[in-house]
Structure formats: C-alpha cells, structure tokens
Amino acid sequence: MAKRKQKNRKRIFLYTALFVLFFGGLVDYFFFTPMRRTNESHYVFIDKDDNIDSVYNKIQPLATAHSFLAFKLMAKLMSYEKHIRTGRYQIGKEGAVTTFRYFRNGKQAPIMLTIRSVRTIDDLAKEISEKLNFPRKMLEDSLHSGTFCQQYGFEPATMIAMFVPNTHEFYWDTTFEQFMERMVKEYKRFWTIERTEKAKVTGFSQAEVITLASIVDEETDNEDEMPMIAGMYINRLKKEMPLQADPTVKFALKKFEAKRIYHKWLSYDSLYNTYKYRGLPPGPIRIPSIAAIDAVLNYVRHNYLYMCAKEDFSGTHNFAETYEEHTKNAEKYAKALNQRGIK
C-alpha cells in the first residue's frame, strides 16, 4: 500500500513537472522569443492620430503570429488603448513582453540624424524631414523667415551657418522647437573658446568664417590644401580684391554640377557672384565641413593671390602671386579640359 502511494506521488510529481515545463516553454515561446517575423528588425511609427486598431495593423505584418497574440493580450490587460504614445518603436529580437513595455512606456528606438554638408536650406529641410516627424515645409518656411532667423542671431542668407556637420541622436517625434533648441546647443558647443578667439584674430564673425569655409570646401576635397586656399582668399579680401571664386558663380546660377565656368556667366547679377561683387557673398554657399571651417581659422600666411585647378585633375591647385603666372596656370588647365572634352 505504502509503495503504491509512493508511486502515485512520484507520478503526480512527474506530471506536475512535465506540465510546468510545458507551460513554462509555452509562456517563453509566446512572450519571450524574438517578436520580429524575419531576421531583420523593423520599425513601427506611431503618430498622434493612431488608435489601438491602427497600432495593431502596423505591428501585425512585422511580428510572428504568436508574439502578436501575446502583445494583444497584454495590451488588453494593461489598457494600452488609453496609453498610446507617439514614437518610433522597434520590432526586433526582444520578445512580446519587452516590446510591449517599450510601446506602453514610450521607450523609442532612437534615430541617428546626420547633418550633412548640403548646399541649401531646402536640401537640409528635405533630409531632416525624412528622419523626423515634423513637416518639411515648416522647416523651410521658418529658416527662410527673417523674423524667425533673427531669434537666433542670423538672417535667412546666413541661417544655414548654424548647422554644423555632425551625427546626432534624436527621437522620431521630436518637435520642430525641440530640434531647433538642440541645434543651437550643438552650434554653441562647436564654437569653443579656442575657435571663437581664432575667429576674432581673422577679423571675421562666426557666420563669415563659415561663409568663407563654404567656398573653400567647394574648391577642394583635399583637407591638407584647405588652409592654403583660405589664406589666398583672405589675402584678396585684405587687398579689397574681388574673390572671383568659381563656386559662388555656380551657386548663384544653381549650376552645381558644372565642370567649368564660362565667361558669360561672370556677369550674372547676383550678390553671390564674387566676380561681380567684392567681399564675401551674403551667406554660405553650403554647410561646410568642420575641416574647412578649421582651415579658415588656421589659414596659412603666404603671398599668393591666385589659384587654378591643376591640369592633372588631382583636385589640388597651382598657386600664383602674379596675374601673369596665374594666366599660364589657367591656360594649362583649360587645355586639359579641352583635351578631355569637358564642357
């Protein structure tokens, strides 16, 4: 009798253990295995117009069937329909429990937003609007508005100088106001005491440094040569000579891809045409690289007043102190262009 009871207890224990293991495995399968349907992570964007049904519709195609059911169960138990938060959320290697907690608590997957060396405010607005959830037109209209730009100490022509190339972490539902606050902080962080003092030595404002840097950046990709080019343009400015910078003509005419500058273009009436108007143009002709900005702040002191692209198309330049020497350099470059059929 005692042996029979002992066998029954063992049997009950075994069944209980098997049930616990089975139930535990089932719970783990539904709630803790990766929620993503494929090997790649996907992202769900929840905006202020979403409700519980639209959230489900966005998640379901990206999640495994069992994880989606687990997510819905938790959503019902935790009244998620009353706590929907905007943002960009990942459907990835985490299970339904962790993923649901992220959704309900508003723990978003951050976006890495890179401010690139683009040429215009409109280009900048396009790239930012593709990453963040505020309208492109809002950014374009604001940065073209004199009243708005004055709040930050800029004008529409110089406003692009506030954006320094770098990569920043944002959340998708960052507001326009929050974005601008962050850009102001990054701009102030960039202009260290050392850079500010160097700008004073050049006699340029920060916006003017960036304007000249934008021309230098357009002239070459060779960072070693940038301080030489900056020094040449500063020499011309000191002598009150026109800059005669080809990239400014391209910018004025919006012929950014032009390989050569034609004489007829040089008379185009634009304040950005530095063949026609002396001094710096009204503002930057692109967001310059940090290397170009530092090249202006650390420009090389020399006596060159002219430069021309080398005929070997190396991306570097021949420098000259006299116009006669420059003319010879220009003739060599023009000959090389003609030989290659570049128009």
Side-chain angles (χ1 to χ4, degrees):
M1 191 70 166
K3 289 184 178 181
R4 186 178 301 169
K5 288 182 178 180
Q6 188 176 9
K7 286 183 179 180
N8 287 338
R9 281 197 296 269
K10 287 182 178 179
R11 189 179 293 112
I12 291 171
F13 176 79
L14 179 61
Y15 289 159
T16 301
L18 289 174
F19 175 78
V20 169
L21 287 174
F22 174 77
F23 183 75
L26 198 63
V27 168
D28 180 71
Y29 176 70
F30 271 82
F31 291 94
F32 297 101
T33 55
M35 191 166 178
R36 62 191 181 193
R37 184 184 291 270
T38 65
N39 290 329
E40 295 183 0
S41 294
H42 298 280
Y43 297 91
V44 172
F45 296 85
I46 306 299
D47 59 43
K48 61 183 180 180
D49 296 324
D50 276 307
N51 55 34
I52 190 64
D53 291 326
S54 62
V55 172
Y56 288 158
N57 287 336
K58 290 180 178 180
I59 294 175
Q60 188 172 17
L62 308 176
T64 59
H66 61 275
S67 293
F68 178 64
L69 288 175
F71 186 98
K72 287 184 68 175
L73 175 61
M74 288 183 289
K76 291 178 181 179
L77 292 174
M78 301 293 289
S79 301
Y80 174 58
E81 73 278 1
K82 298 178 181 178
H83 303 280
I84 296 174
R85 298 191 180 188
T86 61
R88 172 181 179 262
Y89 301 97
Q90 186 179 47
I91 305 296
K93 62 181 180 180
E94 292 82 6
V97 170
T98 300
T99 303
F100 173 74
R101 188 166 66 246
Y102 288 168
F103 273 74
R104 193 177 190 280
N105 295 339
K107 187 176 180 181
Q108 299 183 49
I111 287 174
M112 302 309 294
L113 173 65
T114 298
I115 303 297
R116 296 193 313 110
S117 180
V118 296
R119 288 191 173 93
T120 68
I121 286 291
D122 293 344
D123 291 336
L124 177 66
K126 178 180 181 295
E127 294 198 353
I128 292 171
S129 65
E130 289 174 351
K131 292 280 190 175
L132 302 180
N133 187 35
F134 52 77
R136 172 180 174 179
K137 191 173 187 304
M138 177 185 293
L139 184 55
E140 288 177 343
D141 290 349
S142 297
L143 299 186
H144 285 304
S145 165
T147 302
F148 179 85
C149 295
Q150 286 173 9
Q151 300 177 52
Y152 300 93
F154 293 92
E155 299 174 356
T158 59
M159 190 66 190
I160 200 169
M162 198 185 80
F163 298 89
V164 180
N166 208 339
T167 298
H168 310 284
E169 186 177 280
F170 280 97
Y171 290 120
W172 174 71
D173 60 352
T174 296
T175 65
F176 174 62
E177 292 74 19
Q178 291 170 335
F179 171 75
M180 289 303 299
E181 287 176 8
R182 176 71 179 280
M183 290 296 96
V184 170
K185 289 180 181 177
E186 296 298 333
Y187 177 77
K188 291 179 178 178
R189 183 178 290 118
F190 174 80
W191 281 101
T192 60
I193 293 175
E194 182 182 6
R195 283 192 173 110
T196 301
E197 289 302 315
K198 287 182 177 180
K200 289 179 181 178
V201 171
T202 65
F204 298 138
S205 67
Q206 293 174 355
E208 288 172 334
V209 168
I210 292 177
T211 297
L212 180 53
S214 71
I215 297 174
V216 172
D217 219 5
E218 281 283 320
E219 291 283 16
T220 186
D221 292 327
N222 188 312
E223 294 183 3
D224 292 335
E225 194 183 49
M226 286 180 177
M228 283 286 292
I229 296 175
M232 189 216 69
Y233 280 127
I234 288 173
N235 287 346
R236 295 182 74 89
L237 289 169
K238 287 179 177 178
K239 290 182 176 292
E240 297 186 354
M241 296 172 64
L243 289 183
Q244 296 184 332
D246 290 355
T248 65
V249 179
K250 294 181 184 180
F251 183 86
L253 290 163
K254 298 296 183 284
K255 294 182 179 293
F256 301 121
E257 306 306 320
K259 300 298 183 182
R260 64 193 303 173
I261 301 297
Y262 294 96
H263 188 269
K264 62 183 178 180
W265 293 357
L266 304 184
S267 59
Y268 182 74
D269 192 15
S270 167
L271 292 176
Y272 285 92
N273 182 354
T274 56
Y275 278 85
K276 189 174 180 65
Y277 293 94
R278 295 177 187 273
L280 291 168
I285 59 174
R286 71 177 307 127
I287 296 177
S289 64
I290 292 176
I293 298 171
D294 285 338
V296 173
L297 295 175
N298 299 283
Y299 70 93
V300 175
R301 274 73 172 173
H302 54 62
N303 296 320
Y304 295 126
L305 292 172
Y306 305 93
M307 73 175 192
C308 180
K310 285 185 177 179
E311 63 277 10
D312 61 2
F313 297 95
S314 62
T316 56
H317 296 78
N318 289 313
F319 292 87
E321 293 185 24
T322 66
Y323 184 71
E324 290 73 22
E325 185 182 356
H326 170 65
T327 300
K328 293 178 181 179
N329 291 334
E331 288 175 351
K332 287 188 289 186
Y333 182 63
K335 181 180 178 181
L337 287 173
N338 292 332
Q339 287 176 341
R340 294 197 179 196
I342 297 175
K343 298 182 179 180

